[in-house]
Amino acid sequence: MNNLQFDYLKHVTDGLDRHAVLDELMAAYGKDVWHFAFFITHSKETADDVTQDVFVKVFQQLYEFRGQSSIKTWLLAITRNTARDVLRSAWVRRVVLFDTIRSRTGTSPSAERESMDKLMTEELWAIVLKLPRKLREVLLLNSHYGLSMQEMADMLQVSAGTVKSRLHRARAAVNRKLAQEASWTGEEEWT
């Protein structure tokens, strides 16, 4: 949202209240921040906490944003670091975290295609969530958030070549797992 970035910079230079800018950022990126936090932590409650912490940090650091990256990249970097800090905390290390991904019910009985698509999506997410963290991150940042190789490299503090390699390995791992599951169920491979 380049327009939002422009509006944000205009608000900062015009001296608009930080609360108004924070409200805009939360409305525009709140869901992205929560979903990324959930993707890293695998816990709805922890994702709620991380999201809250992220926007507290954003409020405190609002005038430190220099525009060297997009606002979305900046927010996702803060989210990543906050979620990783939470996962490293002594409390989390002592607690066994369980996967909380459950399929939802309530699809229309006549919507067979919708059900199949939903099942495939759930299977795909289950596969992606089992990938090592480094591979999960780049896959999500690229596929879901649409970040470029350079934006991901800057955010993750690695080279663009490393990002490209991780993304290739992540896609290959997902494809391998999908092929294995298709062969176990007797289905043909997807091309």
Side-chain angles (χ1 to χ4, degrees):
M1 288 190 147
N2 292 336
N3 191 25
L4 182 62
Q5 189 165 359
F6 175 76
D7 289 345
Y8 164 77
L9 295 174
K10 183 179 175 216
H11 289 325
V12 170
T13 58
D14 289 346
L16 187 71
D17 185 17
R18 288 193 298 182
H19 294 282
V21 176
L22 184 67
D23 287 344
E24 274 187 51
L25 292 175
M26 288 173 64
Y29 298 107
K31 287 182 181 178
D32 288 336
V33 167
W34 187 91
H35 287 290
F36 192 44
F38 176 75
F39 192 75
I40 293 170
T41 64
H42 300 252
S43 165
K44 291 179 182 179
E45 293 79 16
T46 306
D48 290 342
D49 293 342
V50 167
T51 301
Q52 184 175 3
D53 289 348
V54 165
F55 284 108
V56 167
K57 289 177 183 179
V58 166
F59 183 79
Q60 293 168 342
Q61 300 170 1
L62 203 54
Y63 295 124
E64 295 174 22
F65 177 72
R66 293 182 188 10
Q68 295 171 335
S69 64
S70 71
I71 291 175
K72 181 188 245 181
T73 303
W74 182 59
L75 288 171
L76 293 177
I78 294 171
T79 304
R80 177 181 183 260
N81 292 336
T82 304
R84 290 176 71 191
D85 289 346
V86 166
L87 291 176
R88 287 185 196 135
S89 74
W91 181 83
V92 171
R93 285 195 313 259
R94 281 185 253 136
V95 175
V96 176
L97 298 176
F98 296 98
D99 288 340
T100 58
I101 298 175
R102 296 181 181 152
S103 62
R104 297 180 192 166
T105 58
T107 58
S108 172
S110 64
E112 183 178 340
R113 181 68 184 163
E114 187 176 317
S115 294
M116 293 302 292
D117 289 346
K118 183 178 176 185
L119 182 61
M120 182 62 184
T121 301
E122 288 172 358
E123 289 175 15
L124 184 60
W125 276 112
I127 291 168
V128 170
L129 288 172
K130 290 178 184 173
L131 291 174
R133 180 189 48 80
K134 290 178 180 183
L135 301 183
R136 274 193 329 254
E137 280 180 340
V138 294
L139 195 59
L140 180 71
L141 291 172
N142 180 260
S143 300
H144 185 71
Y145 295 107
L147 298 186
S148 70
M149 294 288 177
Q150 191 57 54
E151 286 176 319
M152 288 186 287
D154 293 344
M155 182 179 146
L156 301 173
Q157 298 177 338
V158 297
S159 71
T162 299
V163 169
K164 188 174 182 178
S165 172
R166 287 179 184 175
L167 189 57
H168 174 74
R169 290 188 350 243
R171 289 176 176 156
V174 169
N175 286 334
R176 260 192 321 274
K177 188 67 174 170
L178 285 173
Q180 286 174 349
E181 288 187 8
S183 67
W184 289 338
T185 61
E187 298 174 10
E188 294 181 27
E189 278 191 47
W190 292 48
T191 55

